[in-house]
Amino acid sequence: MSLENMIPMVDTLAWHKPIQKELKQAATRVLDSGRYILGEEVAGFEQDVAHYLQAKETVSCANGTDALVLALSAAGLGPGDEVITTPFTFFATAEAIVRVGATPVFVDIEPESFNIDPARVQAAVTRKTRAVLAVHMFGMPARIQEIQALCKDHSLWLIEDCAQSFGACVNGQMTGTFGDFGCFSFFPSKNLGGFGDGGLVTAQSGAMAEQLKVLRNHGSRVQYQHEYVGYNSRLDEMQAALLRVKLKHIEHYNKERRKLAECYRTHLQGVEVLLPSGMEHVYHQFTILVDQRDNLKAHLANQGIASAVYYPLSLHQQPVFKDLKITQDLFVAEQTARRCLSLPIFPGMKEAQVKHVAKAVSGFFAEASESPGYWFSEAAS
Ligand SMILES: Cc1ncc(COP(=O)(O)O)c(C=O)c1O
């Protein structure tokens, strides 16, 4: 099998090829500036993102995990506080909650969206609940307006984990602007992927943005005076300059992802995406549900096609959470972790490549007595 016939999960070189000149100019600008931390590029990037998302305030930081930690810290959460969240997400979501000393309370996801179920959130609220941390998984918005209303009713902080949802919106409003804080990651494979680590928090008020800025810089407002024990979590000038280039093209990238997803649906019978009206999905991942997941993965690998399991365990099944009190059954999350398989999707991917992957998947199902699904047939019936 020749290398050009292999299909990776993300091909960053194919993605960046059309903008190489712009990227090199931006990198040279930073090299020539002599300023590498918290300078004009970072300030400019924060403004550009605020404008794109229509967010009141934006504060960049070192990565998406820190974005969550900074938001939870700025909200003043700590020991004794419960934060309701989804168990079907990357580990960092719950890790950040534990990192500030609070306790994650996992509630199940909806069978049709991979996202936290607002009715389950409502049922999990206790006297100790202080916040809801909702994740927009795979680029599909969670039912954020229902969760927002619920948080208002119970006076809870709402934090959105938008690591996978840059540019996704609900009724024209961007994810990351519904909550008190929206936390973004610029890990290279993300929809707005950088060239290393990077993150950003949106906030609803200048006071909260100021708090985030102090926390990201060792708890210091005035040099060498420290009001809090904070973090060293700053985005660097080089990342900011390169991300500004990619931000200019984000609409195009997300449009490409939607087109590729449509192509998958056309060529993969039985896969449907149930999108409530008004929701704009940005397909960070194109994920299907399959009983014989590991066999399908091996079948694709034999044909040079990458696929990935995001994520193989519901977080309550992780060894580190073995002693955590589980208050609700997490059946859908467990089953989803057992059956999910993400297929390659990235800007720069060719429709011919999507058709090739779809053909390989269909070939597998022609032999197996199963068809792929996007949601659980058990729960959907
Ligand atoms: C849902 C989710 N939350 C948080 C993170 C953490 O972001 P980072 O890797 O930038 O720390 C990720 C990154 O993979 C993620 O997918």
Side-chain angles (χ1 to χ4, degrees), residues 63-65 68 89-90 92-93 135 161 163-164 185 190 311:
N63 54 64
T65 308
L68 292 164
T89 174
F90 179 55
T93 310
V135 184
D161 182 338
Q164 304 189 6
S185 162
K190 298 295 195 249
Y311 298 94

Side-chain angles (χ1 to χ4, degrees), residues 62-68 88-95 135-138 161-164 183-190 196-199 284 311:
N63 54 64
T65 308
D66 281 4
L68 292 164
F88 188 71
T89 174
F90 179 55
F91 182 65
T93 310
E95 184 180 38
V135 184
H136 305 290
M137 272 306 274
F138 301 147
D161 182 338
C162 306
Q164 304 189 6
C183 303
F184 292 86
S185 162
F186 306 123
F187 184 82
S189 63
K190 298 295 195 249
D197 280 311
H284 174 57
Y311 298 94

Side-chain angles (χ1 to χ4, degrees), residues 3 6-17 186-195 246 253 256-257 260 264 282-286 304-308 310 342-350 353 357:
L3 259 179
M6 294 174 75
I7 304 183
M9 285 303 285
V10 183
D11 182 345
T12 45
L13 294 181
W15 186 357
H16 297 148
K17 206 167 169 198
F186 306 123
F187 184 82
S189 63
K190 298 295 195 249
N191 289 48
L192 181 62
F195 298 77
K246 286 191 79 179
Y253 296 149
E256 259 194 88
R257 287 178 184 271
L260 296 166
Y264 266 126
V282 288
Y283 294 98
H284 174 57
Q285 298 297 338
F286 189 89
I305 299 169
S307 61
Y310 304 128
S342 297
L343 304 176
I345 192 164
F346 53 89
M349 187 177 183
K350 307 263 181 304
Q353 291 178 302
V357 178

Side-chain angles (χ1 to χ4, degrees), residues 314-374:
S314 173
L315 289 188
H316 72 286
Q317 298 170 315
Q318 288 289 351
V320 66
F321 291 132
K322 68 179 186 323
D323 297 326
L324 195 72
K325 203 170 119 209
I326 302 300
T327 53
Q328 293 187 1
D329 88 72
L330 302 168
F331 175 77
V332 183
E334 283 173 16
Q335 292 303 307
T336 304
R338 196 175 58 72
R339 298 177 65 206
C340 59
L341 189 67
S342 297
L343 304 176
I345 192 164
F346 53 89
M349 187 177 183
K350 307 263 181 304
E351 288 205 356
Q353 291 178 302
V354 172
K355 285 182 200 162
H356 181 66
V357 178
K359 196 166 161 211
V361 174
S362 303
F364 175 82
F365 286 113
E367 286 164 31
S369 56
E370 193 193 341
S371 62
Y374 193 92

